[in-house]
Amino acid sequence: MEPLDETLSGQAQVWKHMFAVADSMALKCAVELRIPDIIHSQAGGPVTLAQIASRFPTPSPKTAYLARVMRLLVRKNIFSAHRDGGEMLYGLAPSSRWLLQDASHLSLAPMVLLQGHPTVVSAWHYLGDCVKDEGSAGFKRANGHDLWDLQLENPEYNRIFNDAMACTNKFMMKAIVDACKEGFERVGSLVDVGGGTGVAVAEIVRSYPHIKGINFDRPNVIADAPVCGGVSHVGGDMFEAIPSADAVFMKWILHDWNDEDCVKILKNCKKAIPEKNGMVLIAEVVLQPEGDGLFDETGLVLDLLMITHTGGKERSELEWKKILEEGGFPRYNIVQIPSLLSVIEAFPL
């Protein structure tokens, strides 16, 4: 018989993971109710429950329910709290500052809303089915459309998705443009493949004004792209052809696709750039399955997200090396940046 403490510890672990969904839903609740912004408007706190609830657009918010949600989020270090007499006062913590929706702040709030969206959550229920049958991804099984087609069919979901991608660009691109300075300084033109509304390439051009930027994505995506100096928006299909440039940039694109599709995309990248001095910059997770870094576990979770949502995968360095070589890029260099992502600089010669 196992020692009692090990048995209880194992049981406790199962309970914890079983109800981990409550953590993400509580986080989504805080973003939807704009609780971080309400506290921030009071100089970051401390504020009472009543002060928070008074800002909700409803005549009779359930303060007792709010207290219970905040109790969990405080325990998870999303908010800070201390008792003053008989009343609990709440403030922002480092985590909740990443949930502010004020445009002047770096924020993950749009990504929280995307990952908590019913269409996204429903796909997770098909993880077991995806393991049993390598057919369509769980997202299509749950929603009747794959992720890309749903964006075409549902403008509201398309907006939520694009907002989520744009919010990560705002802070990840700062790390990327700083870390890859040598590469960006030597190219005159750059095409961002799958660039969404153009936030990423706009940041590159803003940091390196000599670069002619091309934001390349599906026509329905660039239809919502704002005008940005130094950047042109081009609609198309990366599986057919990619606009010519000195360099290709791709952030969070290849992880959506299986190895065969990635090789097709990389071969089109190779056709789009000069053979001698061309370069592809790939901003992606480089898995460290045994690692204990800040983002290593998140990389493994994202890998399961790829199973259920796109049929793609996150990759280790050896897996990246394989598809790069098959796609025509035998030489590469991995640049570590202070982010969930790394940058892979790949060269055709």
Side-chain angles (χ1 to χ4, degrees), residues 288-330:
Q288 302 284 348
E290 308 300 324
D292 60 357
L294 277 176
F295 300 107
D296 287 337
E297 184 173 327
T298 303
L300 299 178
V301 174
L302 284 173
D303 187 44
L304 300 192
L305 179 76
M306 294 301 102
I307 291 176
T308 57
H309 286 66
T310 67
K313 63 191 291 188
E314 304 297 346
R315 295 174 170 86
S316 65
E317 181 176 352
L318 285 177
E319 290 172 314
W320 279 114
K321 182 175 186 292
K322 178 178 180 294
I323 64 170
L324 286 169
E325 288 180 346
E326 292 179 6
F329 293 89

Side-chain angles (χ1 to χ4, degrees), residues 61-72:
K62 295 181 178 179
T63 307
Y65 283 7
L66 174 61
R68 291 154 67 180
V69 172
M70 293 298 287
R71 179 170 60 190
L72 177 65

Side-chain angles (χ1 to χ4, degrees), residues 1 25 91-92 96 132 141 169 191 204 215 224 236 260 292 298 302 326 328 336-337:
M1 175 178 264
M25 290 298 105
L92 295 179
S96 47
K132 288 186 296 184
R141 300 183 191 207
N169 279 331
V191 55
I204 293 171
N215 179 47
D224 297 325
E260 182 181 353
D292 60 357
T298 303
L302 284 173
E326 292 179 6
Q336 302 294 337
I337 63 175

Side-chain angles (χ1 to χ4, degrees), residues 159-283:
R159 181 192 63 77
I160 292 170
F161 183 89
N162 288 336
D163 286 350
M165 295 302 104
C167 85
T168 63
N169 279 331
K170 287 183 180 179
F171 58 88
M172 288 182 176
M173 288 309 302
K174 176 65 167 63
I176 290 170
V177 297
D178 289 347
C180 301
K181 181 178 180 181
E182 183 178 341
F184 287 127
E185 285 184 339
R186 67 182 181 85
V187 301
S189 60
L190 177 144
V191 55
D192 182 0
V193 174
T197 56
V199 174
V201 69
E203 182 62 30
I204 293 171
V205 171
R206 191 157 35 244
S207 300
Y208 301 95
H210 70 279
I211 293 178
K212 174 188 175 183
I214 303 169
N215 179 47
F216 179 66
D217 212 312
R218 293 179 304 155
N220 68 296
V221 175
I222 65 167
D224 297 325
V227 175
C228 178
V231 175
S232 59
H233 299 291
V234 177
D237 184 344
M238 64 186 174
F239 286 102
E240 295 180 359
I242 291 170
S244 297
D246 295 333
V248 169
F249 177 77
M250 290 184 287
K251 172 181 167 289
W252 261 347
I253 299 301
L254 296 182
H255 75 163
D256 287 327
W257 304 96
N258 61 34
D259 288 358
E260 182 181 353
D261 286 334
C262 284
V263 170
K264 291 178 184 176
I265 296 168
L266 287 167
K267 286 181 176 179
N268 282 340
C269 289
K270 186 177 180 182
K271 293 176 184 177
I273 61 175
E275 185 174 3
K276 185 174 182 181
N277 295 311
M279 174 176 61
V280 172
L281 295 161
I282 302 167

